Amino acid sequence: MATGPVPAEVAALSAPHGIPGHLVGFVEALRARGIPVGPSETVDAGRVMTVLDLMDREVLREGLACALLRRTTHRATFDGLFDLWFPVAVGQRAVSQDELEIPHTPSGDVDIPALRELLAELLAQESATQQLEALAAQLVEQLGQYQSARGPSFSSYQALKEVQPQTLLAKILAGMALGPNTSEFDSEIARRAARQRIAGFRATVEAETRRRVAERIGRERVASYGVARQAEEVDFLRASEAELSELKRSTQRLARILASRLAARRRHAHRGAIDLRRTLRASMSTGGVPIDLVNRKPRPGRPELVLLCDVSGSVAGFSNFTLLLVSALREQFSRVRIFAFVDQIDEVTRFFDPHTQLDRSMTRIFGEANVVGLDGHSDYGNALAGFARDFPDAVTSRSSLLILGDARTNYRDPELNTLRSLVEVAKHAHWLNPEPRNQWGSGDSAADKYRDVIEMHECRSAKQLTAVVSRLLPV
């Protein structure tokens, strides 16, 4: 597609070190976003670029994806960075003769009603991808510009605010020529297809906006906030529904990683520690030289796990994912007991089994378990006191105690002595906190007090949680 005049700030997007240097910069951006790309993959990508038509972006995109990516979950991040490092155009796109133009009123303003009709007509067609891309570029250029403190910039929200493509569903369905005898199944398929096309157009506008903004402030800066993050790096307390769903899908893979690490640790532990007395006794036959080391006989045993889990709304995403992860690791423990609380605590182990979905288990917790009292706000002190009173035999000398929550007590008694008594009985005791470490103790947080009693770990993302749990899992 043709481009307009290149502004001065676009010079920052040039490749001073040629194509090899540009590829290395792209690889570094992938690594910065959590995608593991090694030297061998980088060399493979360079070889791919020598045999592909570099003017065909989609062929280049697929070729680099095959060379650089190891998992399909990395694809969304890859595509976002690819669009920044290999943009479809530079500067303002010029409209060719065979492309549609945004309709205008006689006074020169954008004709919004006519534009909405045109957009609905294009979205109703299956083969209007190129026209929709051209329309998105014009939309960003003519409706998405605004004046920022640093000069003119672009906003996808500004571009879509008046057009509101999400409200065009009925017009799109009417344009798809569904007959009066269309079945409910076919109607639902068409409705889903229309929604996907609307979402695709919004994504095209957002991608065009990122491209134009990157030309002004630099692609590295845009990549830091405008490209999809890896599911493992999403902050639990700020994750969207889509990101939490992706986390749930990755749980089994994370559970396999943790299980393999635990199995490796147990294999090493089967050797046992060196028995110095027996080793020296055996060395008498070699003149006191300990040639043959004698190990103590190991006494392996799977530990018990006791979970105290805050299921209040503020930490629901973190708690749900951790419960899902622990459920997938149940076979690694001799016994798992799960207790949930908001301002009251109850055992919910019965709701978690290999055949029950997590959403169903959480629904049963709030519907059947006694976890919410009259107040309904988090009360760690009351939950700890209730746990010690109602389940005195839950924590033993063989138990690993794991507490999940942000330790925000709503300024109530944290019951430190109760927690201290539980920690003294347990074999291991750890607290996983989804809040940043620098916020522990701020406001109504009692994390700074609890951490004096129990070892507390920051677990803001699945990546952090996996690292902490793999390190803490007892052998």
Side-chain angles (χ1 to χ4, degrees):
M1 183 176 292
T3 63
V6 179
E9 57 267 26
V10 176
L13 298 180
S14 61
H17 303 291
I19 291 179
H22 192 71
L23 175 62
V24 170
F26 177 56
V27 169
E28 290 176 351
L30 292 174
R31 291 173 180 163
R33 299 300 288 177
I35 299 179
V37 181
S40 60
E41 288 88 357
T42 306
V43 172
D44 290 342
R47 291 173 177 170
V48 165
M49 294 185 72
T50 62
V51 298
L52 293 181
D53 181 4
L54 300 184
M55 299 301 293
D56 191 331
R57 286 184 74 246
E58 294 310 311
V59 170
L60 179 61
R61 183 196 300 268
E62 297 304 322
L64 291 180
C66 290
L68 296 174
L69 299 186
R70 302 178 186 178
R71 295 202 300 264
T72 56
T73 55
H74 295 156
R75 186 57 193 259
T77 304
F78 171 88
D79 285 337
L81 292 173
F82 180 89
D83 289 337
L84 291 176
W85 258 257
F86 300 90
V88 67
V90 177
Q92 178 182 351
R93 296 200 210 182
V95 182
S96 58
Q97 295 180 352
D98 57 343
E99 290 178 344
L100 297 174
E101 291 190 33
I102 287 182
H104 291 80
T105 62
S107 61
D109 297 328
V110 175
D111 190 340
I112 299 299
L115 175 59
R116 285 169 53 83
E117 292 291 340
L118 175 61
L119 179 58
E121 179 183 343
L122 292 176
L123 290 173
Q125 304 173 19
E126 292 187 16
S127 57
T129 303
Q130 188 172 356
Q131 292 172 307
L132 285 170
E133 289 180 354
L135 190 65
Q138 296 178 57
L139 202 64
V140 172
E141 184 66 33
Q142 299 184 37
L143 292 179
Q145 287 200 53
Y146 72 98
Q147 197 69 24
S148 68
R150 297 186 176 183
S153 189
F154 298 89
S155 165
S156 58
Y157 170 77
Q158 186 80 14
L160 295 171
K161 180 176 64 174
E162 295 188 62
V163 179
Q164 298 183 351
Q166 69 275 8
T167 64
L168 298 176
L169 182 61
K171 292 183 178 181
I172 297 172
L173 291 175
M176 295 174 73
L178 299 178
N181 298 325
T182 303
S183 64
E184 292 186 7
F185 177 79
D186 291 336
S187 297
E188 180 62 24
I189 294 296
R191 191 173 291 105
R192 292 187 181 185
R195 290 197 182 101
Q196 289 177 354
R197 293 176 190 176
I198 293 173
F201 179 75
R202 293 182 67 92
T204 302
V205 172
E206 291 168 358
E208 178 67 15
T209 303
R210 287 194 296 270
R211 180 184 73 83
R212 297 306 307 274
V213 174
E215 293 175 352
R216 297 185 178 275
I217 67 175
R219 53 187 164 226
E220 291 82 4
R221 185 173 175 185
V222 173
S224 66
Y225 68 85
V227 176
R229 297 169 292 178
Q230 294 299 300
E232 292 86 353
E233 296 185 340
V234 172
D235 193 322
F236 286 121
L237 302 184
R238 299 179 181 178
S240 63
E241 289 295 330
E243 290 171 331
L244 288 176
S245 298
E246 181 62 32
L247 274 177
K248 292 177 183 178
R249 285 193 291 270
S250 65
T251 302
Q252 292 299 325
R253 180 181 60 81
L254 294 176
R256 287 194 299 270
I257 293 173
L258 291 176
S260 63
R261 291 178 182 175
L262 184 57
R265 287 169 58 186
R266 283 180 176 158
R267 282 196 302 270
H268 292 305
H270 284 173
R271 303 173 189 172
I274 295 176
D275 190 327
L276 185 59
R277 179 176 297 178
R278 294 176 62 190
T279 298
L280 292 177
R281 187 177 300 165
S283 69
M284 298 301 292
S285 62
T286 57
V289 180
I291 295 177
D292 297 320
L293 300 180
V294 181
N295 296 333
R296 294 191 183 95
K297 184 177 181 181
R299 294 177 174 83
R302 293 187 299 172
E304 298 177 356
L305 182 62
V306 178
L307 262 78
L308 304 186
C309 185
D310 182 1
V311 293
S312 61
S314 60
V315 292
F318 165 67
S319 300
N320 291 0
F321 178 76
T322 308
L323 284 173
L324 196 62
L325 189 63
V326 170
S327 297
L329 289 169
R330 293 183 72 127
E331 62 183 23
Q332 303 295 329
F333 302 91
S334 61
R335 188 183 186 187
V336 176
R337 297 185 68 179
I338 303 174
F339 298 85
F341 67 90
V342 177
D343 57 347
Q344 298 181 155
I345 195 165
D346 196 5
E347 183 168 6
V348 296
T349 310
R350 62 190 183 279
F351 300 143
F352 292 88
D353 60 69
H355 309 291
T356 304
Q357 294 291 328
L358 178 65
D359 294 340
R360 174 61 178 164
S361 298
M362 298 305 295
T363 301
R364 293 187 63 189
I365 286 176
F366 287 101
E368 303 176 31
N370 186 26
V371 298
V372 182
L374 296 177
D375 185 85
H377 294 90
S378 296
D379 189 343
Y380 283 77
N382 190 55
L384 289 171
F387 175 72
R389 180 185 66 248
D390 300 335
F391 307 97
D393 301 326
V395 178
T396 67
S397 59
R398 297 188 67 250
S399 302
S400 293
L401 176 63
L402 206 60
I403 302 178
L404 314 177
D406 58 5
R408 294 200 170 270
T409 63
N410 291 294
Y411 301 101
R412 294 165 180 169
D413 184 3
E415 288 285 346
L416 297 178
N417 290 331
T418 303
L419 177 62
R420 186 175 289 108
S421 63
L422 294 173
V423 172
E424 290 173 352
V425 173
K427 184 178 182 180
H428 307 281
H430 302 278
W431 188 307
L432 307 186
N433 193 328
E435 282 199 331
R437 190 180 300 272
N438 57 15
Q439 295 182 13
W440 294 357
S442 64
D444 63 340
S445 172
D448 56 338
K449 300 176 182 177
Y450 283 132
R451 68 187 300 188
D452 293 335
V453 179
I454 185 173
E455 188 175 355
M456 188 172 288
H457 307 270
E458 180 186 271
C459 292
R460 297 171 56 191
S461 65
K463 185 176 182 180
Q464 274 188 320
L465 178 64
T466 303
V468 170
V469 172
S470 64
R471 187 173 69 251
L472 300 183
L473 278 177
V475 178

